[in-house]
Amino acid sequence: MRYQNDQELFALMKEKLYTAVCCDVMDDLGYWNQAMRHDLRPVDNDMVVVGRAKTVLAPNVYKVYENPYKIEIDALDSVKEGEVVVVSTNNSTTNGIWGELMSTATVARGGTGAIVEGMVRDIRQIKKMNFPLFAVGYKPVDSKGRGYVIDYDCPVDCGGVRVKPGDVVFGDIDGAIVIPKEIADDVIRLALEKVSKEKMTKNELLEGKYLKDVYAKFGVL
Amino acid sequence: MRYQNDQELFALMKEKLYTAVCCDVMDDLGYWNQAMRHDLRPVDNDMVVVGRAKTVLAPNVYKVYENPYKIEIDALDSVKEGEVVVVSTNNSTTNGIWGELMSTATVARGGTGAIVEGMVRDIRQIKKMNFPLFAVGYKPVDSKGRGYVIDYDCPVDCGGVRVKPGDVVFGDIDGAIVIPKEIADDVIRLALEKVSKEKMTKNELLEGKYLKDVYAKFGVL
Amino acid sequence: MRYQNDQELFALMKEKLYTAVCCDVMDDLGYWNQAMRHDLRPVDNDMVVVGRAKTVLAPNVYKVYENPYKIEIDALDSVKEGEVVVVSTNNSTTNGIWGELMSTATVARGGTGAIVEGMVRDIRQIKKMNFPLFAVGYKPVDSKGRGYVIDYDCPVDCGGVRVKPGDVVFGDIDGAIVIPKEIADDVIRLALEKVSKEKMTKNELLEGKYLKDVYAKFGVL
Amino acid sequence: MRYQNDQELFALMKEKLYTAVCCDVMDDLGYWNQAMRHDLRPVDNDMVVVGRAKTVLAPNVYKVYENPYKIEIDALDSVKEGEVVVVSTNNSTTNGIWGELMSTATVARGGTGAIVEGMVRDIRQIKKMNFPLFAVGYKPVDSKGRGYVIDYDCPVDCGGVRVKPGDVVFGDIDGAIVIPKEIADDVIRLALEKVSKEKMTKNELLEGKYLKDVYAKFGVL
Amino acid sequence: MRYQNDQELFALMKEKLYTAVCCDVMDDLGYWNQAMRHDLRPVDNDMVVVGRAKTVLAPNVYKVYENPYKIEIDALDSVKEGEVVVVSTNNSTTNGIWGELMSTATVARGGTGAIVEGMVRDIRQIKKMNFPLFAVGYKPVDSKGRGYVIDYDCPVDCGGVRVKPGDVVFGDIDGAIVIPKEIADDVIRLALEKVSKEKMTKNELLEGKYLKDVYAKFGVL
Amino acid sequence: MRYQNDQELFALMKEKLYTAVCCDVMDDLGYWNQAMRHDLRPVDNDMVVVGRAKTVLAPNVYKVYENPYKIEIDALDSVKEGEVVVVSTNNSTTNGIWGELMSTATVARGGTGAIVEGMVRDIRQIKKMNFPLFAVGYKPVDSKGRGYVIDYDCPVDCGGVRVKPGDVVFGDIDGAIVIPKEIADDVIRLALEKVSKEKMTKNELLEGKYLKDVYAKFGVL
């Protein structure tokens, strides 16, 4: 039943929420460092990604290892429905770790996107697929001989935030964030509440009211 | 009468001028460092901003202060018609200092845009509002507990350029620039003159002439 | 006959190839460092550039030299059909070395684009011209008094890759690469072969097959 | 009685402990991010600083404010015996916030050193005083018109670590660390225990034994 | 007579002044940006350099030019007594532009030191010579094929400060600064006055007085 | 016999050569990129390291793995006489990968030093041991839970230079360099020859001759 729930949850998040309101709620709960570094950007500004983190750890290497894709293939073939692949490379600028075939393989297993702290390639095709991909940059080089997947389903750092397998990752035009699994239900419930208050604040500002008065009334900014 | 004039002036600049030609003219007048750092980019490439600088100084802080938005609200509620809010944060990468509500509050007072040396959020909504916003990056976090407005209507550094309240700030796809108020009239008059020469140079190049000959004739490149 | 051949070749590359597959082939041939730094981006994601490198070396200077554009004009007036201007500035962030008039002059001689390790300007017009331009950033300032072309048709470093005059440069949405002239024929032939294998891999993944099995079959990822 | 204890404690730490062993112990207790960024270095490699954090928050400003040193003077005049001044500037590279007179004023109140995330000056004199100072860099400029102390005795970030007033800060040749006050007693007790095990490991290695065997025996590396 | 005067002046500066007090005075005169970037450091902390700027402009190149040292040799052979060679490289990290032989040649002409915005080598020998050298870093590579002197006795940027030939450059443990020639006499006179006030402030602090009272009395901090 | 020779060779290099002259010779042989990045510095300026590269690859990880030191211990226990441990971490700033015990273990096996592209700790003790260590920075944290040795005796990148096992690495005050094993004999022979020419150049400069004449005579600079 869990994945059933997740999918309903993720659809709800995509429809009603955005990353900023979730960050505000996490601030209130004492989780201040859940937004990834600002250089991790969606390939298209319209792309929204939400799902459970499927973590992958891929450091730089400097030769072509035997079976260079072995663990990477295992990782991708074990993606589950509703998962987002989160790739940590210690911010490699040399390794084009993600591309069209990995995106296709992820989709084939029911994965819903990828967040890559590093370089990606095949962007034209990935945009055509409308596969939600967040990355630091683009580089048209393969990972073979440049990076190697050494572990997956392990804690990683991605964009300066610790991500555990199963955490909810959420990315939109404002950036990508991590909602720890243990607080995910609370965060989403509180975020849905906050959204409506913001709408009222905005409406009164649009009517020409002063920020001072509107903030005094609703307490959000 | 001043704001009346400003508005006509700014409309003229938007229609006839662009930042590059203003920089060329300022070079000729001995003002060489008026273009902000290249990482200060418009949220949409089509956005153009022009107006008088309304400066705001917002350094990083590390706790939630009492009345965390007090001075920020004062600053925004005192924006005047034709002003552009210029936010200086010592290039904070942690504080999402600007968002949809601030944009709305600025518009409500007649402000015409914002230039933020730092992180901004609510980009989807700001693009929908067509609010001209320039920023270094996007991060979906609030300023509460991360930054604090300590002063406004004061000199600031923004993108490596000193900005005084009332200076003319001008941003387009090529970047954002500062035209000191004391030379603004001259710069705009000379820029309008230069625009026509560039057009002639371009036309002769399009006819297939060599750069050497065209430059000899018009002296612009 | 050479330029005739080049043009057919470049048309073929634009139609059938992309930078990533050429990098893979160069890896196999032992050329591992042919992709420029990821911060060298096309002005529009749809822009594709391919041609022979026409190199230009333009370091920063700090006064207005006599005849400040002299060598620059010589360089641009000597562009040949099918050439791409490759500008090396030791990654200047102060000098807006390239703009609309240079683009126009390049087109007038039959040049097919430019790759600038540095700042460029007049982006709106360059996008309108559909001139394929790759650059590190945008800054609305002229080169006069900021940079000076000291040499051309010389080896340069651009985006971390050594470029010799006549090397084939190729840029698309994934970035810009250098194919040394001495291996260009081999690279292009092998790349055309690899493209078809990738298509088969992708198709089988789209049918839902596991990456493990598809990789075992085609050996590409 | 508290300061009496602190002083004995700090003398013990200076004599028996070093930052590395305290970090190891904090790792074991689940505090993984207590070491400041590596660019925060002692002015002299021999300098050791230990004490309670007296925090100061000094962002960049861009004019000379009235009473530019007011809060800074209050902060320094309220330093207590055994305190180390910890200055946070959002990593300013323009403001020489600390110098000889501040060092002298700190010593006059019984302060035992300073850790400055930013620039400092008067290094020759500070070395002569043997005042333990850690800083990111040296710049011979005053803070007046460049930075302004806006708060003290508040939480700050310094070198990437959150510091609360009263936390124990400890710096030596390996860098500067923060021991949160609530775990300080445990950390110091456990660190004293660990020091002796390391000595035994080292001695056996010096006798020529293999790391594998020595690690198997003592479990430290 | 000029050099006679200069030498007496520079001896006085070395004996009585330091860079920090000169920066304070320049601040008061409205010259706020005269201190070079903090990564320009003396090879030995005890080194002090003072003299008239002999500027050299040496950008990166990517082949071995004919007569690769021609202009560099002209520049060094024209150094005059009391001059300090100031080398601008647009912050090259590849070119070891300065070494033992250049230091020796400078001394042979009466030059008193060098400030190099870039890499230098032969540090062991240069320390032995006690030649005052400031640099960004050390790299054991030659300039041949990596950099080329294209001009000298021209304005340059060095460490973020504009330097004109003949400006007074002054470097000590706190960093390197530029005193524009047109204000040099004033700066030095005022700096000598300020030095004595600082001494009095320090003495009263050492007697245990509070900063508040001492600052009220002398007005320096 | 090989190690016997190596030791004589390395003693000769330490006595007669320095890194700069070896770089010059490698330039002449067409090896232009053999000097590591300038931020890789000796712990003490007097330290000289020379030996065969024993490479170690240690990327960042984000949990404590079982047997966290296993491969690291194997690597160090297999160090041979005359080897220098070269650690590649993709420039980790979080992992204090090297410390006193590793230094001691290396010495116990006859290793002659270490070059670490990353953070190191226990500097006080390592200086006391006079163990030649080059590193990017110091951080008092352990590698456990931060980094993991995944391979050794493999090609690595260190400070921007590719290092193969058995290459000769050489570090002194000017930095660290890599002499590929296949050209090591030639480089050392030619470097010994060049050293004497430089001495003659220097002597004539010291006699007051002009650089132009001395360079014309000896052809070295």
Side-chain angles (χ1 to χ4, degrees), chain A residues 118-137:
Chain A
M119 301 289 116
V120 300
R121 66 178 202 171
D122 305 329
I123 301 308
R124 196 170 3 195
Q125 299 93 320
I126 289 170
K127 283 158 81 99
K128 251 188 242 157
M129 292 172 63
N130 204 21
F131 178 81
L133 174 63
F134 285 62
V136 174

mmCIF file of all heavy atoms in Angstrom, chain A residues 118-137:
data_model
loop_
_atom_site.group_PDB
_atom_site.id
_atom_site.type_symbol
_atom_site.label_atom_id
_atom_site.label_comp_id
_atom_site.label_asym_id
_atom_site.label_seq_id
_atom_site.Cartn_x
_atom_site.Cartn_y
_atom_site.Cartn_z
ATOM 1 N N GLY A 118 26.422 17.268 -10.354
ATOM 2 C CA GLY A 118 27.507 17.049 -11.286
ATOM 3 C C GLY A 118 27.065 17.395 -12.692
ATOM 4 O O GLY A 118 26.131 18.179 -12.875
ATOM 5 N N MET A 119 27.749 16.816 -13.656
ATOM 6 C CA MET A 119 27.508 17.109 -15.062
ATOM 7 C C MET A 119 26.581 16.061 -15.690
ATOM 8 O O MET A 119 26.656 14.894 -15.333
ATOM 9 C CB MET A 119 28.828 17.078 -15.837
ATOM 10 C CG MET A 119 29.874 18.062 -15.346
ATOM 11 S SD MET A 119 29.442 19.775 -15.724
ATOM 12 C CE MET A 119 29.252 20.424 -14.053
ATOM 13 N N VAL A 120 25.763 16.491 -16.634
ATOM 14 C CA VAL A 120 24.886 15.581 -17.376
ATOM 15 C C VAL A 120 25.005 15.882 -18.871
ATOM 16 O O VAL A 120 25.538 16.909 -19.257
ATOM 17 C CB VAL A 120 23.423 15.731 -16.911
ATOM 18 C CG1 VAL A 120 23.304 15.403 -15.432
ATOM 19 C CG2 VAL A 120 22.904 17.133 -17.178
ATOM 20 N N ARG A 121 24.491 14.973 -19.681
ATOM 21 C CA ARG A 121 24.558 15.188 -21.133
ATOM 22 C C ARG A 121 23.298 14.665 -21.820
ATOM 23 O O ARG A 121 22.409 14.154 -21.146
ATOM 24 C CB ARG A 121 25.815 14.530 -21.698
ATOM 25 C CG ARG A 121 25.823 13.017 -21.600
ATOM 26 C CD ARG A 121 27.115 12.498 -22.247
ATOM 27 N NE ARG A 121 26.984 11.111 -22.657
ATOM 28 C CZ ARG A 121 27.869 10.462 -23.388
ATOM 29 N NH1 ARG A 121 28.968 11.083 -23.788
ATOM 30 N NH2 ARG A 121 27.689 9.209 -23.729
ATOM 31 N N ASP A 122 23.267 14.790 -23.139
ATOM 32 C CA ASP A 122 22.091 14.376 -23.922
ATOM 33 C C ASP A 122 20.865 15.222 -23.537
ATOM 34 O O ASP A 122 19.733 14.732 -23.478
ATOM 35 C CB ASP A 122 21.757 12.886 -23.712
ATOM 36 C CG ASP A 122 22.919 11.961 -24.002
ATOM 37 O OD1 ASP A 122 23.749 12.293 -24.871
ATOM 38 O OD2 ASP A 122 23.009 10.896 -23.362
ATOM 39 N N ILE A 123 21.089 16.482 -23.303
ATOM 40 C CA ILE A 123 20.028 17.353 -22.791
ATOM 41 C C ILE A 123 18.892 17.523 -23.790
ATOM 42 O O ILE A 123 17.722 17.541 -23.408
ATOM 43 C CB ILE A 123 20.635 18.735 -22.452
ATOM 44 C CG1 ILE A 123 21.723 18.573 -21.424
ATOM 45 C CG2 ILE A 123 19.554 19.678 -21.919
ATOM 46 C CD1 ILE A 123 21.313 17.813 -20.219
ATOM 47 N N ARG A 124 19.224 17.622 -25.053
ATOM 48 C CA ARG A 124 18.171 17.790 -26.058
ATOM 49 C C ARG A 124 17.159 16.649 -25.967
ATOM 50 O O ARG A 124 15.952 16.875 -25.901
ATOM 51 C CB ARG A 124 18.821 17.807 -27.454
ATOM 52 C CG ARG A 124 17.892 18.349 -28.510
ATOM 53 C CD ARG A 124 18.599 18.605 -29.852
ATOM 54 N NE ARG A 124 20.004 18.191 -29.837
ATOM 55 C CZ ARG A 124 20.889 18.558 -30.758
ATOM 56 N NH1 ARG A 124 20.507 19.345 -31.751
ATOM 57 N NH2 ARG A 124 22.130 18.144 -30.711
ATOM 58 N N GLN A 125 17.686 15.421 -25.913
ATOM 59 C CA GLN A 125 16.803 14.260 -25.873
ATOM 60 C C GLN A 125 16.036 14.193 -24.547
ATOM 61 O O GLN A 125 14.872 13.834 -24.506
ATOM 62 C CB GLN A 125 17.624 12.967 -26.068
ATOM 63 C CG GLN A 125 18.350 12.891 -27.408
ATOM 64 C CD GLN A 125 19.783 13.425 -27.348
ATOM 65 O OE1 GLN A 125 20.061 14.437 -26.690
ATOM 66 N NE2 GLN A 125 20.691 12.763 -28.041
ATOM 67 N N ILE A 126 16.722 14.536 -23.462
ATOM 68 C CA ILE A 126 16.087 14.471 -22.144
ATOM 69 C C ILE A 126 14.961 15.496 -22.046
ATOM 70 O O ILE A 126 13.906 15.231 -21.450
ATOM 71 C CB ILE A 126 17.160 14.670 -21.040
ATOM 72 C CG1 ILE A 126 18.049 13.409 -20.977
ATOM 73 C CG2 ILE A 126 16.517 14.954 -19.690
ATOM 74 C CD1 ILE A 126 19.283 13.542 -20.115
ATOM 75 N N LYS A 127 15.146 16.656 -22.634
ATOM 76 C CA LYS A 127 14.079 17.648 -22.678
ATOM 77 C C LYS A 127 12.906 17.125 -23.510
ATOM 78 O O LYS A 127 11.740 17.327 -23.129
ATOM 79 C CB LYS A 127 14.588 18.958 -23.287
ATOM 80 C CG LYS A 127 15.428 19.802 -22.325
ATOM 81 C CD LYS A 127 16.344 20.785 -23.032
ATOM 82 C CE LYS A 127 15.635 22.034 -23.451
ATOM 83 N NZ LYS A 127 15.836 23.164 -22.527
ATOM 84 N N LYS A 128 13.224 16.474 -24.605
ATOM 85 C CA LYS A 128 12.157 15.907 -25.448
ATOM 86 C C LYS A 128 11.353 14.851 -24.675
ATOM 87 O O LYS A 128 10.131 14.780 -24.798
ATOM 88 C CB LYS A 128 12.765 15.270 -26.709
ATOM 89 C CG LYS A 128 12.471 16.069 -27.980
ATOM 90 C CD LYS A 128 12.920 15.277 -29.205
ATOM 91 C CE LYS A 128 13.996 16.061 -29.940
ATOM 92 N NZ LYS A 128 14.858 15.213 -30.768
ATOM 93 N N MET A 129 12.061 14.032 -23.901
ATOM 94 C CA MET A 129 11.401 13.005 -23.077
ATOM 95 C C MET A 129 10.566 13.638 -21.960
ATOM 96 O O MET A 129 9.801 12.952 -21.303
ATOM 97 C CB MET A 129 12.455 12.123 -22.384
ATOM 98 C CG MET A 129 13.264 11.227 -23.254
ATOM 99 S SD MET A 129 14.609 10.461 -22.258
ATOM 100 C CE MET A 129 13.653 9.509 -21.043
ATOM 101 N N ASN A 130 10.829 14.922 -21.700
ATOM 102 C CA ASN A 130 10.248 15.613 -20.548
ATOM 103 C C ASN A 130 10.549 14.884 -19.230
ATOM 104 O O ASN A 130 9.708 14.757 -18.345
ATOM 105 C CB ASN A 130 8.737 15.809 -20.729
ATOM 106 C CG ASN A 130 8.239 16.971 -19.890
ATOM 107 O OD1 ASN A 130 9.019 17.840 -19.510
ATOM 108 N ND2 ASN A 130 6.961 16.966 -19.578
ATOM 109 N N PHE A 131 11.776 14.409 -19.151
ATOM 110 C CA PHE A 131 12.249 13.728 -17.946
ATOM 111 C C PHE A 131 12.786 14.776 -16.972
ATOM 112 O O PHE A 131 13.733 15.488 -17.297
ATOM 113 C CB PHE A 131 13.368 12.753 -18.321
ATOM 114 C CG PHE A 131 13.972 12.023 -17.155
ATOM 115 C CD1 PHE A 131 13.344 10.900 -16.626
ATOM 116 C CD2 PHE A 131 15.158 12.452 -16.575
ATOM 117 C CE1 PHE A 131 13.903 10.222 -15.543
ATOM 118 C CE2 PHE A 131 15.723 11.777 -15.497
ATOM 119 C CZ PHE A 131 15.088 10.657 -14.990
ATOM 120 N N PRO A 132 12.184 14.903 -15.782
ATOM 121 C CA PRO A 132 12.628 15.950 -14.850
ATOM 122 C C PRO A 132 14.044 15.678 -14.346
ATOM 123 O O PRO A 132 14.272 14.719 -13.600
ATOM 124 C CB PRO A 132 11.617 15.873 -13.699
ATOM 125 C CG PRO A 132 10.453 15.109 -14.233
ATOM 126 C CD PRO A 132 11.029 14.163 -15.258
ATOM 127 N N LEU A 133 14.964 16.523 -14.796
ATOM 128 C CA LEU A 133 16.371 16.351 -14.444
ATOM 129 C C LEU A 133 16.922 17.658 -13.884
ATOM 130 O O LEU A 133 16.767 18.708 -14.494
ATOM 131 C CB LEU A 133 17.163 15.936 -15.694
ATOM 132 C CG LEU A 133 18.685 15.850 -15.533
ATOM 133 C CD1 LEU A 133 19.080 14.788 -14.519
ATOM 134 C CD2 LEU A 133 19.336 15.545 -16.885
ATOM 135 N N PHE A 134 17.547 17.564 -12.732
ATOM 136 C CA PHE A 134 18.247 18.702 -12.128
ATOM 137 C C PHE A 134 19.735 18.395 -12.150
ATOM 138 O O PHE A 134 20.139 17.281 -11.830
ATOM 139 C CB PHE A 134 17.791 18.908 -10.679
ATOM 140 C CG PHE A 134 16.425 19.524 -10.551
ATOM 141 C CD1 PHE A 134 15.300 18.864 -11.046
ATOM 142 C CD2 PHE A 134 16.249 20.758 -9.940
ATOM 143 C CE1 PHE A 134 14.033 19.425 -10.933
ATOM 144 C CE2 PHE A 134 14.985 21.329 -9.821
ATOM 145 C CZ PHE A 134 13.878 20.665 -10.315
ATOM 146 N N ALA A 135 20.556 19.391 -12.509
ATOM 147 C CA ALA A 135 21.996 19.159 -12.601
ATOM 148 C C ALA A 135 22.746 20.450 -12.370
ATOM 149 O O ALA A 135 22.176 21.536 -12.427
ATOM 150 C CB ALA A 135 22.346 18.591 -13.976
ATOM 151 N N VAL A 136 24.051 20.330 -12.126
ATOM 152 C CA VAL A 136 24.901 21.502 -11.945
ATOM 153 C C VAL A 136 25.374 22.051 -13.293
ATOM 154 O O VAL A 136 25.561 23.252 -13.455
ATOM 155 C CB VAL A 136 26.116 21.152 -11.061
ATOM 156 C CG1 VAL A 136 27.099 22.307 -10.984
ATOM 157 C CG2 VAL A 136 25.652 20.760 -9.666
ATOM 158 N N GLY A 137 25.583 21.173 -14.268
ATOM 159 C CA GLY A 137 26.049 21.642 -15.563
ATOM 160 C C GLY A 137 25.956 20.549 -16.595
ATOM 161 O O GLY A 137 25.587 19.405 -16.291
#
